[in-house]
Amino acid sequence: MDNYMGAIMIAASCILVLLIGAFRKKKEWIINFILRAVVGTAAAFFVNGFLVSQGLSIAIGINPITVLTSGILGFPGLIMLYGINLYTLL
């Protein structure tokens, strides 16, 4: 099990170094990602509040996975999260 953890740590370090190199050249990507993540998280918060006030239990949790999804995919990713949550309730 230690060999697997070491391999995962090495792979994660390599990916992190590659991402830093790519993002250094593209600062607007980072700014765009952060803005989408913040706006998507705020939208999820308000949509969750609206759904709860209407008596619907389709609210998604706000956690790092949902923030990353809304940051990478934007509003379509947020809609996808609500769709997945609705599908699991059926």
Side-chain angles (χ1 to χ4, degrees), residues 32-74:
N32 192 8
F33 171 79
I34 291 171
L35 287 175
R36 281 189 291 189
V38 169
V39 170
T41 303
F45 177 77
F46 289 117
V47 170
N48 284 345
F50 175 75
L51 291 174
V52 168
S53 71
Q54 297 299 317
L56 300 171
S57 62
I58 308 173
I60 60 170
I62 297 176
N63 54 38
I65 301 299
T66 57
V67 173
L68 284 174
T69 302
S70 67
I72 293 170
L73 299 176

